[in-house]
Amino acid sequence: MLNEIANTIIKSRHAFSLSEQDCRNLSFLKVGGNPWAEGRINYLVFTEGSTAPVLFVKMIRERAKGVALQREYELLQQLASHNAVAPFLPLPAVLLSPGDHPILVQGVCRGRRLISSLSKSPFLFHQQSRIARNFHQASRFLKVLNGNIQQTLRIEDFHRLFTEPLLSFERTLMGKNDPVMEAYLEEVGKQVVTCLFLTPLHGDYSATNIFLEPQGDLKIIDWETGSSNGLPLCDLFYFMTKYIHNLKILPKNRWRRVETAYFGKTRISGLIEETVLDYCTSMKIPVHAARLILPFHFLLKAKTKFSMRSREMTAPWYSLFRSALKHERDLCF
Amino acid sequence: MIALFCPKCKSQLNPAGHDLSCPACKRTWSKKCGIISFIDDSYSYGSITKDQWEEIFQDISDKSNEEIQSYFLAHKMKGRWPYIQSFRTNKADGTFYLPVTAKDKVLDIGCGPGSLSVPLAKRAGEVYAVDATLARLRFLELRAKNEGVSNIRTFHASALAMPFQGSSFDHVLMNGVFEYMGEWDQSRPPEVVQKGVLKNIHGLLKPEGHLFMAIENRYGFDFIYRKRDHSKLYLTSLMPRHLADLVTLALRRRPYRTYTYSYRGYLDLFAKEGFKDITIYYAWPSYQDPRFIIPSRNRKAFTYFLENFLRSSDRTMYLFYTAAFGLGMEGHFFSHFIITAKKGLERGADAP
């Protein structure tokens, strides 16, 4: 397969500013990806003389599932057409098809991942300023993305994009629809359309997918779970949740830690509050909308995890959703 | 479907109802649980017993793959993890380094629950899956059926006596199997048995066909300080073979027969058996879960892996491999290899 990919890259080398000499002996370093059949597999491509990779290749293991790459490519093209957003994207991005197996070939991010800045100290005290800095970096891009690309959110859009899929998810998960859930979604819909808008969503906006380039620029990778119809704040909440979950601090129960951060009075709660308020002020979004979106976002994530993996991955997100509804008054912002 | 041959006398087999019969030695090879079997059913790899397997198949035979995973997760029995993990198809990621096309015939020796066979079957023409444990083949068939894969042919046979002859395959795979070959024939030294297997594979490959092998490095850093060798003891792979033999005889009451080799050792072994274009890739953290596959020929890729991935994930390994890299010896100590090689000339044949 990789020999076919190499030949296809050579044929399209002009799109990546590679010379014929560069392409003489391409080698592929497999990096990460995810382990499931419908999952993706990533390669960094090295030329003969390069000390760093020159291209990033992404493919889905099963040819038939390659449509996900097509979607990602289209989203990247759509975002790249906005001058303010384009510098944050891994461009150029070209969709190729060696042996009818779609691959997405992108520019390489040269910086370091934000995840590498996670400290291994078990004490929050040593990490507080770093967490604040990283929350700020994450929010910086989202303000550009959500500030530049907005569409009006109508109630029928909300029902089509969110209410119906969420009710269907609940039916599959629980075997029936809970009237309380239906009422909740109805209420959220009514309130959200008055103060929010549709905006592109990354869908997996975590510290592993953010590169900090040497000049301080950010590059955001892995748009495969992205969508052009998302709600603001969802990516920000996901980033903070995953970040807190991945910290190597006490208590060791990571999901419990997330819960106490959002609904407690820890130092991280203060950082969350600061970040959310700053985002809301910049985007001119009322804080009550953020309070509304947080549990809703947990529910959306539970649904996504359910469709991607299994009930086991769904459980912690669903439990966060229930907990967020229960402890609404204790929310840190 | 390629022609099948008697593993005992090498004559071509004829169909006889549901079975196969050998016109030369008059043996009949029957199906067991729908799988043509060339060995008795006494051997069972892994900790799950045959009785347990019967119960398991009663429970899972009408379940989807997701339900099968949930079943194994829920039933806390010893030896269940390989079957849960077999659904993680990244184990087969190394095979993307092979030029597999939709017409190719692939032989998967020691296919187990199908970690390689099932993903490969979606890219290749036909996959011939051979294993000595019947239950694993039944498991493979079930999961393949659930995924709508119909081009896998399963064979209950020993890797030392397979029902194939002549240059029939475009690719032959051995994933974590080669090191166990010595245990299957106690009458000859392990390295002789292993060389015999390589010679047989060489014969089964079509001209320019590929061998794919995933295996440990005898001197891998993992086995120096934190993981047991296949003998289930520490450090035995590092010892001279006769010393390892004495140690395993003393501590495990069995000879040391699970030979792995060094980086140079594999290159020599493959070259001597007539393979060419031998390429070694490093698999990290292991070939069973190759999250990173690094071409050993590109040392810059290795440096990149060290600095950008290993440094933040495993400091001890990072320091060790950085030092080894400085001495040009990273290949000698990297713990897991994926090796690809092309069929060259037969041993002793002259180059044109």
Side-chain angles (χ1 to χ4, degrees):
Chain A
M1 182 71 206
L2 291 176
N3 57 339
E4 283 183 72
I5 295 179
N7 289 337
T8 314
I9 289 175
I10 292 167
K11 278 184 204 153
S12 322
R13 65 178 186 275
H14 299 299
F16 311 109
S17 313
L18 293 176
S19 68
E20 203 173 339
Q21 198 178 354
D22 286 336
C23 295
R24 252 198 323 209
N25 211 349
L26 297 179
S27 50
F28 292 80
L29 163 62
K30 189 221 154 189
V31 286
N34 90 36
W36 311 103
E38 61 278 18
R40 69 192 147 73
I41 171 166
N42 305 327
Y43 295 98
L44 287 167
V45 185
F46 288 77
T47 59
E48 201 167 38
S50 62
T51 51
V54 290
L55 293 172
F56 180 73
V57 174
K58 194 184 233 193
M59 70 177 186
I60 308 287
R61 284 188 187 84
E62 289 186 20
R63 185 186 307 168
K65 308 273 169 56
V67 66
L69 283 184
Q70 174 79 33
R71 263 205 318 267
E72 180 177 0
Y73 171 73
E74 283 165 8
L75 181 63
L76 275 172
Q77 295 304 309
Q78 185 198 332
L79 298 179
S81 64
H82 295 267
N83 290 339
V85 180
F88 293 90
L89 303 174
L91 300 174
V94 179
L95 192 69
L96 300 171
S97 190
D100 289 336
H101 198 134
I103 60 167
L104 186 60
V105 186
Q106 300 176 345
V108 172
C109 301
R110 302 203 180 277
R112 62 182 175 80
R113 284 170 193 254
L114 213 57
I115 190 83
S116 66
S117 63
L118 243 68
S119 162
K120 286 188 177 162
S121 165
F123 303 106
L124 180 59
F125 174 79
H126 296 294
Q127 313 193 35
Q128 210 177 338
S129 60
R130 195 177 286 189
I131 297 171
R133 205 165 49 238
N134 287 340
F135 279 12
H136 170 75
Q137 294 282 22
S139 147
R140 180 158 71 97
F141 165 68
L142 292 176
K143 283 190 267 186
V144 174
L145 178 72
N146 303 158
N148 279 278
I149 313 175
Q150 297 183 357
Q151 286 175 63
T152 313
L153 173 63
R154 295 168 305 168
I155 190 73
E156 55 270 30
D157 292 333
F158 184 86
H159 288 322
R160 180 175 50 86
L161 293 167
F162 305 107
T163 312
E164 285 162 20
L166 284 171
L167 286 176
S168 151
F169 155 67
E170 209 213 7
R171 266 196 305 277
T172 321
L173 189 69
M174 302 295 184
K176 61 176 175 132
N177 272 136
D178 177 4
V180 178
M181 174 71 92
E182 286 176 32
Y184 165 75
L185 291 175
E186 192 64 40
E187 184 58 29
V188 172
K190 268 187 213 158
Q191 295 197 33
V192 153
V193 288
T194 60
C195 52
L196 290 184
F197 45 86
L198 285 176
T199 183
L201 180 86
H202 183 280
D204 188 15
Y205 193 63
S206 64
T208 44
N209 288 334
I210 302 174
F211 274 82
L212 196 54
E213 301 275 291
Q215 280 80 33
D217 299 335
L218 294 178
K219 289 272 187 216
I220 317 300
I221 61 161
D222 271 0
W223 288 84
E224 68 186 14
T225 44
S227 145
S228 50
N229 294 318
L231 291 173
L233 284 153
C234 284
D235 276 337
L236 183 62
F237 286 137
Y238 183 69
F239 177 85
M240 293 192 294
T241 308
K242 284 283 281 185
Y243 196 100
I244 298 162
H245 180 270
N246 286 342
L247 284 171
K248 291 185 169 59
I249 56 170
L250 300 168
K252 280 191 173 177
N253 182 336
R254 291 161 177 245
W255 290 107
R256 178 89 195 109
R257 189 195 304 151
V258 171
E259 216 175 303
T260 45
Y262 279 113
F263 309 105
K265 298 251 179 283
T266 66
R267 283 169 197 259
I268 303 183
S269 312
L271 296 176
I272 293 174
E273 184 187 13
E274 222 172 86
T275 313
V276 173
L277 294 183
D278 171 60
Y279 177 89
C280 288
T281 314
S282 306
M283 302 303 300
K284 300 188 177 61
I285 291 174
V287 180
H288 82 83
R291 297 173 69 95
L292 204 64
I293 286 293
L294 181 73
F296 187 71
H297 149 73
F298 290 144
L299 184 62
L300 281 173
K301 271 293 151 201
K303 177 190 149 285
T304 313
K305 295 287 173 191
F306 187 75
S307 60
M308 284 170 68
R309 301 273 174 84
S310 64
R311 281 164 198 263
E312 275 177 82
M313 296 295 294
T314 312
W317 290 98
Y318 197 74
S319 135
L320 276 178
F321 163 67
R322 289 284 171 196
S323 178
L325 291 184
K326 198 167 144 193
H327 302 292
E328 203 184 346
R329 287 186 184 172
D330 304 324
L331 198 52
C332 65
F333 52 85
Chain B
M1 175 90 172
I2 60 167
L4 298 177
F5 294 83
C6 177
K8 298 287 179 193
C9 72
K10 312 292 179 202
S11 307
Q12 188 166 346
L13 295 170
N14 294 328
H18 290 296
D19 303 333
L20 292 170
S21 71
C22 175
C25 69
K26 308 293 179 204
R27 281 189 178 87
T28 301
W29 305 103
S30 322
K31 283 189 174 176
K32 291 174 191 159
C33 306
I35 295 164
I36 189 77
S37 176
F38 296 95
I39 49 174
D40 67 55
D41 192 17
S42 58
Y43 178 76
S44 181
Y45 181 84
S47 309
I48 302 179
T49 62
K50 279 184 5 185
D51 290 341
Q52 279 177 309
W53 270 121
E54 286 311 318
E55 276 178 43
I56 291 170
F57 282 120
Q58 274 180 17
D59 291 342
I60 66 171
S61 54
D62 55 350
K63 286 188 160 56
S64 70
N65 281 353
E66 196 182 314
E67 287 167 336
I68 294 173
Q69 289 179 66
S70 306
Y71 175 89
F72 276 99
L73 283 167
H75 290 73
K76 296 194 179 353
M77 70 190 88
K78 201 179 170 198
R80 69 195 166 124
W81 280 105
Y83 300 93
I84 298 166
Q85 286 170 343
S86 70
F87 291 96
R88 295 170 65 103
T89 48
N90 67 337
K91 200 169 177 178
D93 283 353
T95 61
F96 283 106
Y97 287 84
L98 294 175
V100 178
T101 70
K103 289 178 187 164
D104 289 354
K105 288 187 167 54
V106 181
L107 171 62
D108 184 3
I109 302 175
C111 59
S115 309
L116 264 60
S117 290
V118 177
L120 243 302
K122 294 174 184 174
R123 287 155 47 207
E126 265 186 318
V127 174
Y128 291 76
V130 175
D131 204 279
T133 304
L134 191 63
R136 286 153 77 90
L137 290 165
R138 288 173 69 189
F139 184 90
L140 185 159
E141 286 206 334
L142 180 60
R143 75 171 272 218
K145 189 185 87 187
N146 285 345
E147 289 188 38
V149 173
S150 58
N151 56 345
I152 300 180
R153 321 269 169 254
T154 47
F155 298 91
H156 183 222
S158 154
L160 301 184
M162 290 184 289
F164 311 114
Q165 289 284 305
S167 304
S168 314
F169 297 100
D170 299 281
H171 311 282
V172 175
L173 318 176
M174 289 189 101
N175 194 73
V177 176
F178 186 66
E179 59 273 35
Y180 292 103
M181 289 298 125
E183 295 209 318
W184 278 85
D185 182 354
Q186 303 277 340
S187 65
R188 294 181 293 164
E191 68 269 34
V192 175
V193 180
Q194 287 173 321
K195 281 178 184 172
V197 169
L198 280 184
K199 192 180 172 194
N200 188 23
I201 290 172
H202 190 278
L204 289 174
L205 280 170
K206 290 180 185 171
E208 303 289 299
H210 287 83
L211 167 62
F212 171 96
M213 187 185 286
I215 196 163
E216 290 85 356
N217 176 3
R218 178 181 178 183
Y219 302 120
F221 187 48
D222 273 353
F223 309 105
I224 295 176
Y225 89 114
R226 67 177 181 185
K227 281 192 183 159
R228 290 171 204 260
D229 184 22
H230 293 290
S231 63
K232 298 192 168 47
L233 297 172
Y234 288 102
L235 302 171
T236 46
S237 69
L238 307 169
M239 296 173 189
R241 306 290 196 198
H242 62 276
L243 180 59
D245 208 32
L246 289 174
V247 171
T248 53
L249 276 170
L251 298 175
R252 296 211 15 102
R253 298 188 179 185
R254 55 196 300 178
Y256 182 70
R257 300 190 62 84
T258 48
Y259 283 16
T260 49
Y261 298 85
S262 65
Y263 182 92
R264 179 60 51 196
Y266 287 115
L267 291 176
D268 290 346
L269 194 66
F270 280 50
K272 276 183 190 159
E273 294 311 320
F275 289 94
K276 62 178 183 179
D277 295 349
I278 306 157
T279 309
I280 297 187
Y281 300 89
Y282 308 134
W284 175 269
S286 69
Y287 67 77
Q288 292 95 340
D289 179 21
R291 279 172 239 167
F292 295 88
I293 302 176
I294 309 133
S296 69
R297 282 180 187 163
N298 192 328
R299 299 194 78 219
K300 281 156 190 163
F302 189 81
T303 323
Y304 192 85
F305 162 74
L306 281 182
E307 295 302 328
N308 291 279
F309 300 107
L310 196 58
R311 187 178 191 157
S312 55
S313 63
D314 192 328
R315 197 73 181 170
T316 314
M317 285 285 182
Y318 166 74
L319 292 172
F320 180 84
Y321 285 127
T322 305
F325 181 80
L327 298 167
M329 297 176 75
E330 69 278 11
H332 297 274
F333 295 108
F334 211 90
S335 303
H336 292 259
F337 292 152
I338 287 172
I339 307 169
T340 61
K342 219 187 241 187
K343 177 172 179 166
L345 295 167
E346 298 290 344
R347 220 161 42 145
D350 291 327

